[in-house]
């Protein structure tokens, strides 16, 4: 029994000696990334408050050696563009592989609305010229027959004035003011449909006999065929069309087919007219009574109209028959 106790005591003393011998006083190792060893990486011993106690940098091959003052502290590895790694001081050799801090795990690219005006697709948010986009979905279901009616009051700086009160007489549009001193020159903005300037054909058009409705038909476009409208206002935006865009440009984009199941859209517009009810007229007796009241009111005398034969049904009156039959 005594021999067994002695053996246990000796083993305990040996273990205590080994533990004391394993006290860490210095660390060494290699720091690398996915491309290989990192030269100039920083290795620091930090305390519980994050203060640096000891530090060193890696050599050309990414190797380092550093003394440790307190084994209870932590060791930190860092490099520019890499994620910082902090570990406890529980071994003498560290082979660390740092991860890049600029690598994205997953990238989602979303499509941006692009504007094509001068042949270069430009993102909508990067357009610096004065433009305004108007979608026909904003007025879907409203009753209008022409594009100018849909844009009226919805485009800043665009004045749309009817030529007259006649139905279908069309309207006059002014986007950048009256830029022409001559009344014979057209001051309306340039109309562009799907990138093509809309030319007005006057081959079979009778200028002498045409009325307001006929002139309005020259630029008439079915609103149901338009997807959106882009209005170019300033000189930078209209410069791509040259002098033609001096009065501003209205770009119309028509609807296009899309991939998917077939879809049918039906639109119906009705116009109804009615004759309002007219005033109810007095008959002969009511009219006679109204005249008697008119004579009675000023004087408050019942005999004020006694001598007027035409309203008292006097048989001697020449128009007695008409008065009696309330004609």
């Amino acid at each position: 029994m005594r021999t067994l106790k002695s053996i246990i005591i000796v083993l305990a003393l040996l273990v205590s000696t080994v533990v004391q011998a394993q006290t860490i006083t210095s660390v060494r190792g290699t720091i690398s990334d996915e491309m290989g060893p990192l030269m100039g990486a920083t290795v620091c011993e930090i305390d519980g408050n994050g203060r640096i106690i000891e530090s060193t940098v890696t050599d050309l091959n990414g190797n380092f050696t550093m003394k440790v003052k307190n084994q209870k502290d932590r060791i930190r590895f860092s490099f520019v563009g890499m994620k910082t790694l902090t570990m406890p001081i529980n071994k003498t050799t560290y082979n660390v592989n740092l991860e890049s801090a600029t690598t994205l795990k997953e990238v989602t690219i979303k499509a941006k609305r692009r504007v094509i005006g001068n042949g270069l697709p430009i993102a909508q948010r990067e357009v610096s010229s004065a433009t305004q986009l108007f979608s026909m979905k904003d007025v879907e279901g409203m009753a209008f027959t022409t594009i100018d009616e849909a844009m009226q009051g919805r485009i800043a700086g665009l004045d749309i004035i009817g030529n007259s009160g006649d139905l279908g007489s069309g309207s006059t549009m002014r986007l950048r003011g009256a830029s022409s001193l001559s009344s014979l020159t057209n001051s309306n903005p340039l109309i562009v449909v799907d990138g093509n300037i809309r030319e007005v054909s006057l081959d079979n058009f009778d200028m002498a006999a045409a009325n307001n409705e006929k002139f309005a038909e020259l630029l008439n476009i079915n609103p149901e065929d338009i997807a959106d409208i882009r209005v170019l206002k300033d000189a930078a935006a209209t410069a791509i069309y040259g002098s033609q865009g001096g009065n501003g440009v209205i770009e119309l984009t028509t609807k296009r087919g899309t991939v998917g199941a077939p879809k049918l859209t039906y639109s119906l517009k009705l116009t109804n007219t009615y004759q309002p009810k007219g005033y109810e007229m007095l008959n002969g007796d009511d009219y006679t009574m109204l005249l008697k009241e008119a004579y009675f009111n000023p004087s408050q005398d019942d005999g004020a109209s006694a001598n007027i034969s035409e309203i008292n049904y006097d048989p001697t009156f020449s128009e007695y028959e008409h008065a009696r039959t309330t004609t």
Side-chain angles (χ1 to χ4, degrees), residues 13 39 94 113 126 128 296:
L13 292 174
M39 182 184 65
Y94 290 87
R113 182 182 294 273
E126 296 176 3
S128 59
F296 170 79

Side-chain angles (χ1 to χ4, degrees), residues 105-155:
K105 295 182 178 180
E106 182 178 356
V107 178
T108 302
I109 300 176
K110 296 183 178 179
K112 297 181 180 179
R113 182 182 294 273
R114 295 186 176 273
V115 178
I116 300 177
N118 57 352
L120 299 176
I122 304 174
Q124 181 71 36
R125 61 179 298 178
E126 296 176 3
V127 176
S128 59
S129 57
T131 62
Q132 184 172 352
L133 187 64
F134 172 69
S135 177
M136 294 300 291
K137 292 183 179 180
D138 298 337
V139 293
E140 189 174 359
M142 296 185 180
F144 54 84
T145 57
T146 58
I147 294 298
D148 51 0
E149 293 180 8
M151 294 190 299
Q152 195 166 16
R154 293 180 173 88
I155 302 296

Side-chain angles (χ1 to χ4, degrees), residues 12-258:
L13 292 174
L14 291 175
V15 171
S16 176
T17 303
V18 173
V19 171
Q20 291 179 356
Q22 289 181 350
T23 301
I24 299 174
T25 58
S26 65
V27 293
R28 60 187 177 84
T30 304
I31 301 178
S32 59
D33 63 356
E34 58 182 6
M35 302 296 293
L38 291 175
M39 182 184 65
T42 304
V43 182
C44 300
E45 178 190 351
I46 58 176
D47 60 8
N49 296 323
R51 292 177 295 184
I52 298 175
I53 305 302
E54 290 287 341
S55 66
T56 186
V57 294
T58 58
D59 59 10
L60 184 64
N61 297 319
N63 300 321
F64 71 94
T65 301
M66 184 183 67
K67 292 182 179 181
V68 176
K69 290 188 175 182
N70 189 349
Q71 189 176 343
K72 295 181 180 180
D73 291 338
R74 293 176 299 170
I75 186 170
R76 184 176 67 188
F77 307 95
S78 61
F79 189 75
V80 177
M82 298 293 175
K83 294 181 180 180
T84 301
L85 181 62
T86 304
M87 302 175 66
I89 304 176
N90 54 9
K91 55 185 178 180
T92 58
T93 303
Y94 290 87
N95 294 320
V96 179
N97 189 8
L98 297 181
E99 297 181 1
S100 175
T102 59
T103 302
L104 299 178
K105 295 182 178 180
E106 182 178 356
V107 178
T108 302
I109 300 176
K110 296 183 178 179
K112 297 181 180 179
R113 182 182 294 273
R114 295 186 176 273
V115 178
I116 300 177
N118 57 352
L120 299 176
I122 304 174
Q124 181 71 36
R125 61 179 298 178
E126 296 176 3
V127 176
S128 59
S129 57
T131 62
Q132 184 172 352
L133 187 64
F134 172 69
S135 177
M136 294 300 291
K137 292 183 179 180
D138 298 337
V139 293
E140 189 174 359
M142 296 185 180
F144 54 84
T145 57
T146 58
I147 294 298
D148 51 0
E149 293 180 8
M151 294 190 299
Q152 195 166 16
R154 293 180 173 88
I155 302 296
L158 177 62
D159 295 330
I160 301 178
I161 304 173
N163 293 332
S164 70
D166 298 335
L167 295 176
S169 61
S171 58
T172 300
M173 292 185 289
R174 293 292 183 270
L175 182 56
R176 302 187 65 194
S179 58
S180 175
L181 299 178
S182 174
S183 60
L184 299 178
T185 304
N186 183 18
S187 297
N188 289 330
L190 182 67
I191 307 296
V192 179
V193 181
D194 293 334
N196 300 315
I197 298 176
R198 185 174 178 83
E199 299 289 348
V200 179
S201 178
L202 302 177
D203 297 336
N204 299 322
F205 190 79
D206 189 358
M207 299 290 293
N211 53 14
N212 291 336
E213 289 82 356
K214 292 297 181 181
F215 279 109
E217 290 176 359
L218 293 177
L219 291 178
N220 187 28
I221 302 174
N222 184 11
E224 298 296 334
D225 296 336
I226 305 300
D228 54 53
I229 303 171
R230 193 164 68 101
V231 181
L232 310 181
K233 301 177 182 180
D234 63 0
T238 60
I240 57 179
Y241 295 100
S243 60
Q244 299 177 96
N247 299 321
V249 180
I250 298 179
E251 294 182 344
L252 307 179
T253 303
T254 58
K255 295 179 180 179
R256 293 290 185 269
T258 57

